Amino acid sequence: EFLNTSVGGDIKKGLTVKASLDEAILAIRENLQLSEVKSLVVEDSGEAIFAGYVHGRVPDSTISGTAAAVVEITKTGEKGDVTKDEMQDAGKKLAMHVVAARPTYLSPETVPEDIVEKERAILMEQMTDSGKPANIVEKIIDGRMRKFYEGICLTEQAHMVEEGNPKVSKVLSEMGLKVTRFESTSVQ
């Protein structure tokens, strides 16, 4: 049923998902299959937008490529003068970052507790024979956990598309924005 629905965006009007998929298959000469479909909806409040980026675009297409990401950006209310264009620009840059950096989670708070506990246990195991006092070991582990989060959490990563690579959360915060979710995919 989903394959016969019409797709939106700036692609040919009235083109179904199946027709779009068939067009992509012909363009890149690869057999493509959908493994997962997600529907994202943003309220039209003017406070949130979706922005995306498609990497390795197929010629004459705005939606087909080898990797893609969509981010939802919202205003924090701290800077009321952020325009939709500025939000779109920040969102596109962040989506480009997501494609390049491939974060797994949005923020440290969204990492499942079992994964955090497992990583902390590994770090504790590595430090057992260090001979350092417990309070120093704890500080070292906290520092290594920050590094762990920088590798897997979008908000903690160094922004690859911004000058000087500041932390993603810092760039957005300075603009009066925050990222509330993201999705990414790539051709396997």
Side-chain angles (χ1 to χ4, degrees):
E1 182 181 323
F2 175 78
L3 291 176
N4 293 321
T5 59
S6 183
V7 290
D10 55 344
I11 61 171
K12 298 172 192 157
K13 295 292 179 200
L15 200 59
T16 65
V17 173
K18 181 173 182 358
S20 182
L21 186 61
D22 290 344
E23 192 175 275
I25 290 169
L26 285 172
I28 64 173
R29 301 178 205 271
E30 291 287 338
N31 185 20
L32 302 175
Q33 297 192 11
L34 297 176
S35 61
E36 184 178 18
V37 176
K38 292 191 179 190
S39 176
L40 304 173
V41 179
V42 67
E43 291 181 25
D44 192 22
S45 66
E47 300 298 312
I49 57 119
F50 282 125
Y53 170 71
V54 177
H55 182 74
R57 269 196 195 151
V58 174
D60 301 322
S61 175
T62 59
I63 63 162
S64 300
T66 57
V70 174
V71 297
E72 182 179 27
I73 302 286
T74 61
K75 293 181 181 180
T76 61
E78 295 169 21
K79 295 190 177 190
D81 58 346
V82 183
T83 67
K84 283 256 192 205
D85 286 343
E86 290 171 323
M87 290 175 73
Q88 277 294 339
D89 185 54
K92 181 176 180 179
K93 287 179 180 179
L94 187 57
M96 292 171 79
H97 168 88
V98 169
V99 167
R102 304 181 88 179
T104 309
Y105 303 101
L106 181 64
S107 65
E109 298 79 30
T110 61
V111 180
E113 193 59 39
D114 62 319
I115 291 175
V116 173
E117 288 173 11
K118 188 178 196 180
E119 184 65 19
R120 195 169 274 284
I122 290 169
L123 294 173
M124 287 292 274
E125 175 78 24
Q126 292 172 351
M127 296 299 295
T128 48
D129 296 331
S130 68
K132 296 185 185 324
N135 64 332
I136 301 296
V137 167
E138 193 59 37
K139 287 181 182 180
I140 291 170
I141 289 174
D142 287 346
R144 290 186 181 173
M145 287 301 293
R146 275 193 299 280
K147 276 293 205 198
F148 171 71
Y149 290 134
E150 287 173 9
I152 64 169
C153 298
L154 176 58
T155 59
E156 303 306 299
Q157 292 179 331
H159 201 309
M160 296 175 143
V161 185
E162 293 291 336
E163 186 78 28
N165 303 105
K167 193 184 281 192
V168 167
S169 58
K170 181 176 188 251
V171 170
L172 294 175
S173 175
E174 288 173 354
M175 294 183 72
L177 302 172
K178 69 178 180 176
V179 58
T180 51
R181 62 182 158 158
F182 73 95
E183 296 290 340
S184 64
T185 188
S186 62
V187 175
Q188 302 294 336

